Amino acid sequence: MVYRRANLEHAAASAPNMMQNGLLIGHLALLLLAPTLPDVTVWNIHPITPILLGFYIHWELDA
C-alpha cells in the first residue's frame, strides 16, 4: 500500500537479527536431534526440553 524506501540488506545483517537467526538455527538443530535420543523421560519431560530452555536463556542473556 505504501512504498517506503529502505536498505533491506543492511537491516537483515544487523547484529540483533543475526543473533535471532543463530538462535533459530540452534533450536531447529536441537529439535532435529531430539528423535535420535533414547526414549527416556524424567517426570514425563524429554531431556531435550531443558536443553532448549537453557540454550534460549543463554542466548538471551548474551544479547
Side-chain angles (χ1 to χ4, degrees), residues 45-60:
I45 298 174
H46 194 274
I48 202 73
T49 303
I51 294 171
L52 283 169
L53 182 62
F55 191 71
Y56 178 76
I57 291 170
H58 172 73
W59 276 83
E60 287 300 316

Side-chain angles (χ1 to χ4, degrees), residues 22-35:
L23 179 65
L24 176 65
I25 290 170
H27 274 139
L28 290 174
L30 287 173
L31 288 174
L32 290 174
L33 176 72

